[in-house]
Amino acid sequence: MIVYIAISIMFFVGIYGMMVKKNIIKMIIGVNIIGYAVNLFFIVIGYKNGGIPPILISGMGIKEFVEKAVNPLPQALVLTSIVIDLSIICFLASLSIRIYEKYGTFDLEKIRRLKG
Protein backbone atom coordinates (compact mmCIF):
# COMPACT_ATOMS: atom_id res chain seq x y z
CA MET A 1 0.00 0.00 0.00
CA ILE A 2 2.87 2.36 0.77
CA VAL A 3 4.13 1.94 -2.78
CA TYR A 4 0.84 3.21 -4.21
CA ILE A 5 0.97 6.23 -1.90
CA ALA A 6 4.54 6.97 -2.99
CA ILE A 7 3.54 6.67 -6.65
CA SER A 8 0.57 9.01 -6.18
CA ILE A 9 2.79 11.55 -4.37
CA MET A 10 5.27 11.34 -7.25
CA PHE A 11 2.44 11.83 -9.75
CA PHE A 12 1.09 14.89 -7.93
CA VAL A 13 4.58 16.39 -7.64
CA GLY A 14 4.74 16.16 -11.44
CA ILE A 15 1.30 17.75 -11.78
CA TYR A 16 2.43 20.53 -9.44
CA GLY A 17 5.53 21.11 -11.54
CA MET A 18 3.50 21.27 -14.70
CA MET A 19 0.71 23.53 -13.46
CA VAL A 20 2.36 25.93 -11.03
CA LYS A 21 5.90 26.52 -12.29
CA LYS A 22 6.44 29.32 -14.81
CA ASN A 23 9.76 28.08 -16.20
CA ILE A 24 9.45 25.88 -19.30
CA ILE A 25 12.32 23.60 -18.23
CA LYS A 26 10.66 22.97 -14.86
CA MET A 27 7.42 22.16 -16.65
CA ILE A 28 9.24 19.62 -18.83
CA ILE A 29 10.72 18.05 -15.69
CA GLY A 30 7.17 17.81 -14.31
CA VAL A 31 6.04 15.96 -17.44
CA ASN A 32 9.00 13.63 -17.03
CA ILE A 33 8.14 12.92 -13.38
CA ILE A 34 4.56 12.09 -14.37
CA GLY A 35 5.88 9.64 -16.97
CA TYR A 36 8.08 7.96 -14.37
CA ALA A 37 5.16 7.69 -11.95
CA VAL A 38 2.95 6.05 -14.58
CA ASN A 39 5.71 3.60 -15.52
CA LEU A 40 6.28 2.72 -11.87
CA PHE A 41 2.54 2.19 -11.43
CA PHE A 42 2.46 -0.27 -14.34
CA ILE A 43 5.45 -2.13 -12.91
CA VAL A 44 3.83 -2.40 -9.48
CA ILE A 45 0.58 -3.67 -11.01
CA GLY A 46 2.46 -6.42 -12.86
CA TYR A 47 4.46 -7.50 -9.79
CA LYS A 48 3.69 -10.89 -8.26
CA ASN A 49 5.38 -11.97 -5.03
CA GLY A 50 7.46 -15.06 -5.80
CA GLY A 51 6.62 -14.82 -9.48
CA ILE A 52 8.65 -16.30 -12.31
CA PRO A 53 9.37 -14.83 -15.75
CA PRO A 54 6.57 -15.41 -18.28
CA ILE A 55 8.60 -18.04 -20.14
CA LEU A 56 7.36 -21.63 -20.18
CA ILE A 57 9.95 -23.94 -18.62
CA SER A 58 10.12 -27.59 -19.67
CA GLY A 59 8.75 -29.93 -17.02
CA MET A 60 6.38 -27.33 -15.61
CA GLY A 61 2.67 -27.87 -15.96
CA ILE A 62 0.42 -25.23 -17.51
CA LYS A 63 -1.58 -24.78 -14.31
CA GLU A 64 1.58 -24.24 -12.23
CA PHE A 65 2.95 -21.85 -14.86
CA VAL A 66 -0.23 -19.75 -14.89
CA GLU A 67 -0.24 -19.51 -11.10
CA LYS A 68 3.43 -18.47 -10.78
CA ALA A 69 4.16 -16.44 -13.93
CA VAL A 70 3.91 -12.68 -13.85
CA ASN A 71 1.75 -10.85 -16.36
CA PRO A 72 3.92 -9.73 -19.33
CA LEU A 73 1.47 -7.06 -20.52
CA PRO A 74 2.52 -4.35 -18.00
CA GLN A 75 6.16 -4.95 -18.92
CA ALA A 76 5.38 -4.44 -22.60
CA LEU A 77 3.33 -1.33 -21.80
CA VAL A 78 6.20 0.14 -19.78
CA LEU A 79 8.66 -0.43 -22.62
CA THR A 80 6.29 1.28 -25.03
CA SER A 81 5.67 4.08 -22.55
CA ILE A 82 9.40 4.70 -22.11
CA VAL A 83 9.80 5.21 -25.86
CA ILE A 84 6.80 7.51 -26.03
CA ASP A 85 7.98 9.51 -22.99
CA LEU A 86 11.42 9.92 -24.52
CA SER A 87 9.98 11.21 -27.79
CA ILE A 88 7.69 13.65 -25.96
CA ILE A 89 10.56 14.96 -23.82
CA CYS A 90 12.76 15.39 -26.90
CA PHE A 91 9.98 17.28 -28.68
CA LEU A 92 9.36 19.54 -25.67
CA ALA A 93 13.09 20.20 -25.26
CA SER A 94 13.48 21.15 -28.94
CA LEU A 95 10.38 23.35 -28.71
CA SER A 96 11.74 25.10 -25.62
CA ILE A 97 15.09 25.68 -27.36
CA ARG A 98 13.26 27.36 -30.25
CA ILE A 99 11.27 29.48 -27.80
CA TYR A 100 14.50 30.51 -26.07
CA GLU A 101 16.08 31.43 -29.40
CA LYS A 102 13.09 33.61 -30.30
CA TYR A 103 12.36 35.28 -26.94
CA GLY A 104 15.60 34.89 -24.97
CA THR A 105 13.92 33.47 -21.87
CA PHE A 106 12.30 30.33 -20.50
CA ASP A 107 9.88 32.26 -18.27
CA LEU A 108 6.31 32.00 -19.54
CA GLU A 109 5.18 35.22 -17.83
CA LYS A 110 7.84 37.22 -19.69
CA ILE A 111 7.01 35.50 -22.98
CA ARG A 112 3.30 36.32 -22.59
CA ARG A 113 4.12 40.02 -22.04
CA LEU A 114 6.28 40.23 -25.17
CA LYS A 115 4.82 41.15 -28.54
CA GLY A 116 5.92 39.44 -31.73
Side-chain angles (χ1 to χ4, degrees), residues 35-92:
Y36 287 143
V38 170
N39 290 341
L40 190 59
F41 180 69
F42 282 145
I43 290 170
V44 169
I45 285 176
Y47 177 75
K48 185 184 281 189
N49 199 7
I52 61 171
I55 301 170
L56 189 58
I57 302 169
S58 62
M60 181 181 284
I62 297 295
K63 184 177 180 183
E64 182 183 4
F65 173 74
V66 170
E67 290 173 357
K68 289 185 177 181
V70 296
N71 189 1
L73 184 62
Q75 298 170 12
L77 288 174
V78 166
L79 286 174
T80 306
S81 177
I82 288 170
V83 172
I84 293 170
D85 286 343
L86 180 65
S87 64
I88 289 172
I89 297 302
C90 289
F91 172 72
L92 291 175

Side-chain angles (χ1 to χ4, degrees), residues 20-38:
V20 175
K21 299 297 180 181
K22 303 298 182 202
N23 192 328
I24 295 174
I25 301 300
K26 291 179 183 177
M27 293 172 78
I28 292 173
I29 292 171
V31 170
N32 209 5
I33 291 172
I34 290 172
Y36 287 143
V38 170

Side-chain angles (χ1 to χ4, degrees), residues 4 7-8 10 12 22 27 29 39-40 50 63 70 72 74 84-85 98 100-101 105 113 115:
Y4 293 110
I7 291 170
S8 62
M10 188 176 172
F12 287 119
K22 303 298 182 202
M27 293 172 78
I29 292 171
N39 290 341
L40 190 59
K63 184 177 180 183
V70 296
I84 293 170
D85 286 343
R98 297 296 291 170
Y100 184 79
E101 287 174 354
T105 184
R113 282 186 267 149
K115 302 282 185 188

